[in-house]
Amino acid sequence: MCKIEQLLATCERACLAGGKQLIEWQGKFSTQEKSAQDLVTDADIASQEAVRRVVEQEFPEHGFLGEEYPDLSQLEKPFCWVVDPLDGTTNYVHSYPLFGVSVAVAQEGKVVAGGVFDPTNNEMFLAGKGLGTTLNDKPFQTSKTTRMEDGLVAVSFPPQMTTDMPDI
């Protein structure tokens, strides 16, 4: 059985490997459209492969579901890694420094550990079931704000979003 700490350490190494690829590919990538307004770059693919290598080295028997070339059958495995190798592709393509690598692992369909790495600001967010959340190895928690008007909200709409979509 996998310990959450071991899964979380692998999340961190995988995020760092993917982030390294994103930095190395800056200004050198080509861009394609997966669908209207949904971009993919060479950096997305290189990052996903770097993440995959880290995960497969540590957990070769686990499933791996990456945003690029997804195989949904991987979700049927007891453990499955779910990866967005370049979260914020549009920002990345336009040299806007808000993008990252997102890696999570689900056990029997429930996320138990995950990380998000922002390579531009060298910020690593990690969370594990029962372990809390950290930012660069220091405990981190969300605001205690309970009223929407007192909080800060940021949102990103999916590429396929249209003005005639039903309310959520």
Side-chain angles (χ1 to χ4, degrees):
M1 188 55 78
C2 298
K3 291 188 175 191
I4 300 297
E5 293 86 355
Q6 185 182 13
L7 296 170
L8 202 54
T10 302
C11 281
E12 182 173 20
R13 285 192 307 277
C15 282
L16 289 169
K20 181 178 179 187
Q21 288 299 310
L22 297 182
I23 296 301
E24 288 178 4
W25 275 94
Q26 282 182 313
K28 304 176 198 168
F29 59 86
S30 63
T31 305
Q32 301 168 355
E33 278 192 342
K34 288 192 279 189
S35 61
Q37 301 174 353
D38 192 6
L39 305 174
V40 64
T41 70
D42 300 320
D44 290 84
I45 296 164
S47 176
Q48 181 165 301
E49 288 311 306
V51 169
R52 180 190 304 273
R53 284 190 297 274
V54 170
V55 170
E56 287 180 350
Q57 181 178 8
E58 187 71 26
F59 300 106
E61 71 283 4
H62 287 191
F64 187 92
L65 178 63
E67 182 180 18
E68 313 311 327
Y69 317 117
D71 174 1
L72 296 179
S73 71
Q74 296 295 302
L75 291 169
E76 297 170 13
K77 295 188 178 182
F79 286 90
C80 185
W81 294 78
V82 182
V83 176
D84 186 343
L86 176 44
D87 197 355
T89 302
T90 300
N91 288 353
Y92 184 82
V93 166
H94 291 93
S95 299
Y96 189 72
L98 290 176
F99 57 86
V101 180
S102 299
V103 177
V105 60
Q107 179 180 10
E108 303 295 338
K110 296 191 190 288
V111 175
V112 295
V116 176
F117 180 55
D118 172 352
T120 302
N121 294 303
N122 198 35
E123 291 183 326
M124 177 70 72
F125 297 85
L126 295 169
K129 184 177 179 182
L131 300 177
T133 305
T134 60
L135 167 56
N136 292 345
D137 296 321
K138 294 180 182 156
F140 177 80
Q141 59 187 3
T142 60
S143 166
K144 302 273 189 236
T145 299
T146 58
R147 296 177 351 129
M148 184 73 82
E149 55 270 18
D150 295 335
L152 174 65
V153 178
V155 65
S156 174
F157 295 106
Q160 298 81 12
M161 184 101 180
T162 63
T163 56
D164 61 342
M165 291 187 78
D167 291 336
I168 298 175

